[in-house]
Amino acid sequence: MSLEVLATEPALEYGLERFFLALVVALSVATLPQVFSWFRQIPYTLLLVIAGLGLALFNVRLINLSPELILSIFLPPLLFEAAWNLKWSNLKKDWIPISLYAVIGVGISILGIAFGLSQTTSVPIVIALLIGASLATTDPVSVIAMFRELGVAERTRTLVEGESLFNDGVAVVTLSLLLSLPLEVQGLEAQSLLADLIRYLGIGIGSGCLIGFGVSFLTQRLDLPLLEQSLTLVSAYGSYLLSEQLGGSGVIAVVPVGLILGNFGSRIGMSPRTRVIVTEFWEFLAFFVNSIVFLLIGDQVPLESLWQNRGAIAITVVAMLAARAIATFGLGWLSNRLSRSDLSWRELIVVWWGGIRGAVSIALALSIPTVLLQRDLITATVFGSVLFTLLVQGLTMKPLLGALGLLGDQALRQQYAEAIARQTALKRVLQRLQQTEPQAEIDPAFCREQVQLIEAKLQSLTQELAELCDRQPELQHYALESLQAELLAIEADTYAEFVRSGQLSQELSPILRETLAFPTQPPAIAD
C-alpha cells in the first residue's frame, strides 16, 4: 500500500466519523417535535440552527463548513428539488416581479448595506461592499424549507422562492468582481461588470437548458424508474460542474434543469409511477441535506468574534432590513405599474420579512481570500446577520403570516386529500370485489362480508368529508382546484403517451387550461 493511501485513510475515517455524528444529531433533533409537542411551534430548520448553536457554545465543531462543501455538494440537490416542485405556470405569471427582485433588488441591497456601514462606522467602502454582496442574496435553502413547513400561500411562496433561486448568480458574480478592488487587480467599471454578469448568467442558463432538454428526451425512450431517478441526480450535479467549467454560474445552471425536468421532462418522458418515485427521492434528499446544512450553520458560528464585532453586525442588520424594504416595496410598486401584478401590501410585507439569509451568504463570505486583512470582520458580520435573519425573522414568520391572514392551510388540505385518497382506494377495492366471479375455493359469504365492511368504511369516510367541508367551506374551492389539476394531468399524460408511441413528434399544448372555467373564489355559503 502506498504512503499516499496510508496518509489519507485516517483523514477519511475521521471525516466519516464527524459526518455520521452530524447526521445522528440532526435526526435526533428531528424527533423532538414528536416527543415534546411544544417544539412543534418552531420550524424544524430553526431547531437545527439552535441545536448547532448549542454545540458551538461547548466548542463542538462537527464538520468544517467550507464554501466548496456548500456550493458544490449541498446546494445543487437543494436547488434542483426546489425547481422540480416549482410550477412553471406560477413562475410565468409573476416573472416580472421575480426578475426585478432577483437582479435590481440585489443591487439595491448591496448599495444599501455598504452605505449604512461606511457612513456610520470606520469600515472602508470596499469592505462594506463585500459584506453587502455576501448578504444581498436571499438563501433558497433557508427560505424554501421554512415556507413549505409553514404552509405559506402558493403565490407568496412562488415570489420568494423564485427570487431566491435566481438572485444567487447576480450576487456571486458581483462579489467576484468586487474582490478585485482590495486585491488591486482591476478597477470597477460598470460596463465590464454588466458584460461579466451577462456572460456568467448566460452560460449558466444555457448549459442548464441544454442538459435539461437532453435528459428530458432521453427519459422519453426509457421506462426504468431507478435509471430515470439516477439521471435526475446526475443532471443536478452535472449541470453545476459543466457551467463552472465553462466559466458560468453553476448555481444558476441547476435551476433551469430542475424547472425543465419537473415541468416538461417528467410529463413527456416519465410514467406517473416514475414521477412519484423521483419526487419522493428528491424530497428525501432535500430533507437529508437540509438537516446537515442548518445544523452546521449553527455549529460554525464564531461566538467570540460575533461579540467583538457586535456594533458592525447591528448596523449591518438595520441597513440590510432597510435596503430590503426599499427594494421590496419600491420594485413591487414598479411591477404593479408595469405588469399589473396586483401585489398586495400583505404579500410585500412577507416578501420583505421573508428575505432570510443562510448557507449561500456564509459560503460567499468564506470564499473571500485569507490575504484580505479584514476578512475576519467580514465573516463575523455575515455570520451575525445570517443568524439574525434565521432566528429573529424565522421565528417571527409564523405569527406574522397569521396576523396578515396569509398562513397556508396545508394541514387541512392534507387531511382532506388523505380522506379522498382513502375513499377512492376503497371504491376501487369494492368494485373489484363486486366483479369477482364465484369460485369454488372462495366462500361467497366471505366476499359478502368484505363488501359490507368496505361499504361501512366508505359511509364513514363520506360523512367525515361532509363534516370537514361544513366546518371549512374553503375546502370546496380546494376540491375544484384538485379536480382541475387532475383533469390537466390526464390531458398531459395522454399527449405524452402519443409522443412515446411515435404518433406525435412533440407534445401538444394543453387546451383545457383555457377551456376549464372553475370559479376563482370559494363558492358562497348559504345562510
Side-chain angles (χ1 to χ4, degrees):
M1 186 178 291
S2 66
L3 293 175
E4 290 82 4
V5 174
L6 288 172
T8 56
E9 279 185 350
L12 177 61
E13 184 178 351
Y14 177 78
L16 289 175
E17 288 176 356
R18 306 306 292 179
F19 180 80
F20 178 74
L21 178 60
L23 183 59
V24 169
V25 174
L27 295 180
S28 300
V29 173
T31 63
L32 287 177
Q34 308 303 321
V35 179
F36 305 100
S37 58
W38 183 83
F39 285 105
R40 296 172 190 168
Q41 305 300 317
I42 305 176
Y44 165 63
T45 49
L46 295 185
L47 277 177
L48 289 166
V49 175
I50 295 171
L53 284 172
L55 294 175
L57 284 173
F58 294 98
N59 200 29
V60 177
R61 304 297 178 181
L62 298 172
I63 303 174
N64 182 29
L65 197 61
S66 65
E68 293 79 14
L69 185 65
I70 298 174
L71 296 176
S72 303
I73 306 299
F74 289 156
L75 205 54
L78 292 172
L79 289 172
F80 182 92
E81 191 270 343
W84 170 277
N85 289 299
L86 189 60
K87 295 180 182 178
W88 173 252
S89 57
N90 293 341
L91 191 64
K92 187 168 60 174
K93 290 178 185 176
D94 289 310
W95 72 271
I96 289 182
I98 289 173
S99 300
L100 290 174
Y101 288 141
V103 180
I104 301 178
V106 169
I108 294 175
S109 294
I110 294 173
L111 295 177
I113 294 171
F115 179 81
L117 270 175
S118 61
Q119 294 298 312
T120 56
T121 67
S122 58
V123 175
I125 183 63
V126 174
I127 302 300
L129 285 169
L130 290 175
I131 294 174
S134 299
L135 291 170
T137 172
T138 55
D139 184 14
V141 178
S142 309
V143 176
I144 294 169
M146 188 176 302
F147 272 40
R148 284 184 186 170
E149 195 169 349
L150 294 176
V152 176
E154 189 172 39
R155 193 200 183 190
T156 307
R157 193 169 69 243
T158 300
L159 286 170
V160 179
E161 288 183 4
E163 176 195 1
S164 300
L165 286 171
F166 290 107
N167 63 10
D168 299 280
V170 180
V172 170
V173 70
T174 304
L175 179 68
S176 64
L177 293 175
L178 288 173
L179 280 172
S180 64
L181 294 181
L183 298 178
E184 299 180 355
V185 176
Q186 65 180 27
L188 182 64
E189 297 179 1
Q191 186 176 0
S192 175
L193 175 64
L194 182 60
D196 287 343
L197 179 62
I198 293 174
R199 175 185 55 81
Y200 196 67
L201 299 180
I203 293 175
I205 295 173
S207 57
C209 290
L210 179 66
I211 292 180
F213 284 114
V215 173
S216 295
F217 288 109
L218 181 61
T219 56
Q220 209 178 333
R221 290 158 177 79
L222 301 172
D223 191 17
L224 301 170
L226 294 180
L227 180 58
E228 293 176 67
Q229 173 182 293
S230 302
L231 281 173
T232 60
L233 183 62
V234 171
S235 301
Y237 283 104
S239 59
Y240 179 91
L241 295 174
L242 176 63
S243 181
E244 290 290 324
Q245 288 295 321
L246 295 176
S249 169
V251 173
I252 288 294
V254 180
V255 177
V257 170
L259 283 172
I260 291 169
L261 289 177
N263 292 272
F264 174 71
S266 64
R267 293 296 179 186
I268 70 164
M270 295 183 185
S271 65
R273 175 173 172 268
T274 302
R275 285 202 298 270
V276 171
I277 291 174
V278 174
T279 300
E280 289 178 348
F281 166 76
W282 282 102
E283 286 177 356
F284 159 74
L285 193 60
F287 169 78
F288 180 84
V289 176
N290 266 325
S291 300
I292 301 297
V293 168
F294 281 94
L295 179 66
L296 294 183
I297 287 176
D299 181 54
Q300 299 294 305
V301 172
L303 297 176
E304 183 178 350
S305 184
L306 294 187
W307 179 253
Q308 294 173 354
N309 295 282
R310 60 189 181 276
I313 293 172
I315 293 173
T316 300
V317 168
V318 173
M320 180 176 64
L321 292 176
R324 176 74 180 173
I326 295 171
T328 300
F329 292 98
L331 296 177
W333 173 84
L334 180 61
S335 176
N336 286 340
R337 294 294 298 270
L338 292 176
S339 64
R340 297 181 180 178
S341 303
D342 295 326
L343 297 174
S344 67
W345 62 271
R346 291 183 178 86
E347 291 174 320
L348 292 177
I349 288 176
V350 174
V351 172
W352 166 61
W353 197 245
I356 297 173
R357 276 67 170 179
V360 175
S361 293
I362 291 173
L364 293 178
L366 292 176
S367 67
I368 294 175
T370 55
V371 296
L372 197 62
L373 295 178
Q374 292 179 293
R375 182 179 185 271
D376 290 341
L377 169 65
I378 296 173
T379 55
T381 304
V382 171
F383 261 103
S385 303
V386 168
L387 203 60
F388 174 88
T389 64
L390 285 172
L391 296 181
V392 177
Q393 293 178 235
L395 288 174
T396 56
M397 181 59 67
K398 187 174 182 179
L400 176 65
L401 290 167
L404 295 174
L406 293 176
L407 193 61
D409 52 359
Q410 293 298 105
L412 180 64
R413 291 190 174 203
Q414 181 64 24
Q415 182 183 356
Y416 177 81
E418 289 177 0
I420 289 292
R422 290 195 184 99
Q423 186 185 55
T424 304
L426 289 177
K427 284 181 178 180
R428 292 177 181 177
V429 172
L430 182 62
Q431 184 181 13
R432 176 68 180 88
L433 278 172
Q434 291 173 340
Q435 292 174 350
T436 302
E437 297 180 0
Q439 299 178 21
E441 64 272 18
I442 298 178
D443 184 2
F446 172 79
C447 290
R448 288 195 297 269
E449 180 183 353
Q450 297 302 312
V451 167
Q452 291 173 0
L453 288 173
I454 294 172
E455 286 178 342
K457 289 182 179 180
L458 276 172
Q459 185 177 359
S460 175
L461 273 173
T462 302
Q463 184 178 353
E464 178 186 338
L465 284 167
E467 291 175 355
L468 198 60
C469 289
D470 286 340
R471 293 196 308 268
Q472 306 289 343
E474 62 270 21
L475 283 176
Q476 299 176 33
H477 183 58
Y478 172 59
L480 292 177
E481 288 181 346
S482 300
L483 176 60
Q484 185 180 36
E486 182 181 357
L487 295 177
L488 291 172
I490 291 173
E491 183 192 12
D493 288 339
T494 304
Y495 296 151
E497 290 176 7
F498 275 83
V499 172
R500 283 195 294 267
S501 65
Q503 298 180 60
L504 284 176
S505 59
Q506 61 181 5
E507 189 173 359
L508 300 178
S509 59
I511 61 171
L512 285 182
R513 186 172 289 116
E514 293 79 20
T515 305
L516 295 177
F518 289 111
T520 56
Q521 296 297 328
I525 306 301
D527 295 331

